[in-house]
Amino acid sequence: VYDRLGLFDVYHSVWFSAIYLMLVISLVGCIVPRMGVYWRGLRSKPPAAPRNLSRLSEHREITVSAGTDETLDRAQALLRRRRFCIVRRGDAVSAERGYLREAGNLLFHMSVLVVLAGVAIGNLFGYTGSVIIVTGGGFSNSLSQYDDFTPGTFFNTSSLVPFSFQVKDFDVDFITKGHEAGMAHSFVAKLRYRPAPSASWRDTDISVNHPLKLDGTNIYLLSHGYAPHITVRDGKGNVIASGPTVFLPEDDTFKSFGVVSGPDGVDAKGKPEQIGLEGELYPTYAFTMQTGPFSAFPDDKNPVISMLAYSGNLGLDNGRPQSIYSLDKAGLKPIRDAKGKKVRVDLNLGHTTKLPNGMGSVTFDGMSRFVKIQISHKPFDWLALIGMVLALVGLLGSLFIRPRRVWVRVRPADDPARTLVEVAGLDRTSGGGLGAELDAIVAALAPASAAIAHDQHKETS
């Protein structure tokens, strides 16, 4: 049921693609009408002054000694210097600014489309793959080398860049004190790489968020873990499995789970017998009666492996693919001791345990680390980056640009030698600061030595 619903491959499912397309259509349907409204707003002039300016929440009245025309000229010049778009109608000047706020909104929404386009192109024509490599191992960029590989719909595997690299070493620094003890302070993989088969080898380090970039392909360090060296011998002493085995971490202490397969073995009587081991690695082994065995620290201070032993048919010859991180027990039976108990192989580093009934032995030879590498090629990722930058610019504009209107009206005062000036404003975003701006305009129109001010700070009803 989950497979039919696409829950194991969400980003390539039909319903996710439908949501993606509906989002694009919705954005376009939102942006296009708003662009028309914005264009008409840009071409329109500031509205005429209301009949009764005193009803606005921010309103000032002053008297000045200059004439009405001179006062309007001064108001017009002052508002223009303050970057207002102005219109003079009769006895009043109308001013408006902040048109770019809506432009910021539109830019933000359009940049989302740019990001979606960049991501879509990258997913269609790029690929993402990952591989686990034990220190000392190498990788060549061919399809067979990947543990998992997800190509885009239009990606051609023949266009893989022919680079290769080796993991020379891996350094990790764990925090040992404080409430963050056990966390990795940093980890770095030391690589030796070659951009092309004919190129010379070069050395570099990669860490989290610091990938190696090769011809449009990024090589990321994702995670790390342990690969204990385990040797399995059959009843005749022949080595049927040897070398580092990747154990996948299960928690922050790096308690890890893994399996070992020993095919082509025989028991002490020469009877063909395959051996399988399944269990856990404790990098720093500890034990309490309450919790049982656990790892007290993620570093390999006292490594111990504990695995159940099986014998029978590992299913390696039936033609079905198997995961190297799980054991197919369909043809296996637990190995039991003389008392009928399941045999558990518990080994400290450097120790060997013999299996019962002359079936062989298991040795814990050493410890290596592995790194998980992600290799990603996303063409036109710069387009998504540009979209993100534009989105940030648009967002800042929509947050900090405050559209507001200001009107200045003049009329003769009771004193024939003076002029009554009304200054009022309307903040269209409730962003604050309009009162201070009106005070600055009033101060510029009528210095204290030449004006009588009657401030009226009214609240809207």
Side-chain angles (χ1 to χ4, degrees), residues 222-237:
L222 291 187
S223 59
H224 60 100
Y226 291 102
H229 294 242
I230 300 172
T231 299
V232 180
R233 291 178 172 85
D234 64 9
K236 294 293 187 180

Side-chain angles (χ1 to χ4, degrees), residues 62-74:
I62 59 172
T63 58
V64 297
S65 58
T68 56
D69 290 339
E70 181 183 351
T71 302
L72 286 177
D73 290 341
R74 290 176 60 190

Side-chain angles (χ1 to χ4, degrees), residues 23-62:
L23 173 61
V24 173
I25 294 171
S26 176
L27 281 172
V28 173
C30 173
I31 292 171
V32 173
R34 287 180 63 180
M35 290 184 67
V37 173
Y38 180 60
W39 176 248
R40 290 192 295 271
L42 279 178
R43 299 184 61 186
S44 63
K45 297 179 180 180
R51 182 175 300 177
N52 193 346
L53 290 177
S54 62
R55 291 184 177 179
L56 296 177
S57 59
E58 295 290 348
H59 175 252
R60 311 286 187 272
E61 283 187 7
I62 59 172

Side-chain angles (χ1 to χ4, degrees), residues 231-251:
T231 299
V232 180
R233 291 178 172 85
D234 64 9
K236 294 293 187 180
N238 301 315
V239 175
I240 56 175
S242 181
T245 302
V246 172
F247 276 57
L248 300 179
E250 294 185 317
D251 57 26

Side-chain angles (χ1 to χ4, degrees), residues 342-406:
K342 294 181 180 179
V343 172
R344 178 174 289 275
V345 177
D346 295 320
L347 288 172
N348 293 86
L349 184 62
H351 289 197
T352 298
T353 292
K354 291 185 177 182
L355 298 175
N357 305 320
M359 299 188 67
S361 64
V362 182
T363 304
F364 185 7
D365 297 308
M367 287 280 284
S368 291
R369 296 183 186 269
F370 74 81
V371 294
K372 185 173 184 179
I373 301 290
Q374 177 178 291
I375 301 168
S376 176
H377 175 70
K378 299 293 182 183
F380 291 93
D381 54 355
W382 54 266
L383 187 61
L385 175 61
I386 290 175
M388 292 299 296
V389 172
L390 292 177
L392 181 60
V393 172
L395 183 62
L396 292 175
S398 64
L399 289 176
F400 294 105
I401 296 176
R402 295 173 178 171
R404 50 188 46 171
R405 292 169 178 169
V406 173

Side-chain angles (χ1 to χ4, degrees), residues 13-278:
S13 64
V14 174
W15 57 266
F16 184 83
S17 300
I19 293 174
Y20 198 94
L21 290 175
M22 285 191 290
L23 173 61
V24 173
I25 294 171
S26 176
L27 281 172
V28 173
C30 173
I31 292 171
V32 173
R34 287 180 63 180
M35 290 184 67
V37 173
Y38 180 60
W39 176 248
R40 290 192 295 271
L42 279 178
R43 299 184 61 186
S44 63
K45 297 179 180 180
R51 182 175 300 177
N52 193 346
L53 290 177
S54 62
R55 291 184 177 179
L56 296 177
S57 59
E58 295 290 348
H59 175 252
R60 311 286 187 272
E61 283 187 7
I62 59 172
T63 58
V64 297
S65 58
T68 56
D69 290 339
E70 181 183 351
T71 302
L72 286 177
D73 290 341
R74 290 176 60 190
Q76 194 169 342
L78 172 64
L79 292 171
R80 184 177 288 112
R81 287 197 302 271
R82 299 180 76 89
R83 300 188 304 277
F84 279 89
C85 176
I86 59 175
V87 173
R88 184 168 173 176
R89 299 183 180 93
D91 62 348
V93 174
S94 301
E96 186 172 5
R97 75 176 184 190
Y99 294 97
L100 289 179
R101 180 185 178 89
E102 180 62 14
N105 270 322
L106 292 172
L107 178 62
F108 176 81
H109 285 81
M110 286 188 290
S111 64
V112 174
L113 288 175
V114 175
V115 171
L116 291 175
V119 172
I121 294 173
N123 286 333
L124 289 173
F125 294 93
Y127 70 89
T128 299
S130 64
V131 59
I132 290 178
I133 304 173
V134 179
T135 53
F139 174 84
S140 296
N141 194 29
S142 60
L143 193 59
S144 61
Q145 294 277 297
Y146 285 91
D147 292 336
D148 62 81
F149 186 83
T150 306
T153 304
F154 302 117
F155 179 76
N156 188 350
T157 56
S158 63
S159 62
L160 286 170
V161 180
F163 62 80
S164 58
F165 62 85
Q166 298 174 351
V167 181
K168 294 170 52 181
D169 200 2
F170 179 79
D171 293 334
V172 58
D173 181 20
F174 291 105
I175 301 173
T176 58
K177 297 180 180 180
H179 66 280
E180 295 182 344
M183 296 179 62
H185 181 268
S186 64
F187 49 91
V188 178
K190 299 181 180 298
L191 300 187
R192 186 168 179 258
Y193 72 96
R194 187 166 59 180
S198 59
S200 58
W201 289 95
R202 308 171 191 176
D203 293 329
T204 189
D205 295 344
I206 63 172
S207 58
V208 177
N209 295 328
H210 292 84
L212 170 63
K213 299 182 179 181
L214 295 174
D215 195 17
T217 302
N218 293 329
I219 302 172
Y220 297 92
L221 174 61
L222 291 187
S223 59
H224 60 100
Y226 291 102
H229 294 242
I230 300 172
T231 299
V232 180
R233 291 178 172 85
D234 64 9
K236 294 293 187 180
N238 301 315
V239 175
I240 56 175
S242 181
T245 302
V246 172
F247 276 57
L248 300 179
E250 294 185 317
D251 57 26
D252 294 338
T253 65
F254 278 73
K255 182 186 77 171
S256 307
F257 179 85
V259 301
V260 179
S261 298
D264 304 325
V266 294
D267 59 17
K269 299 178 181 180
K271 178 184 176 182
E273 199 73 53
Q274 298 181 350
I275 297 175
L277 302 169
E278 177 185 76

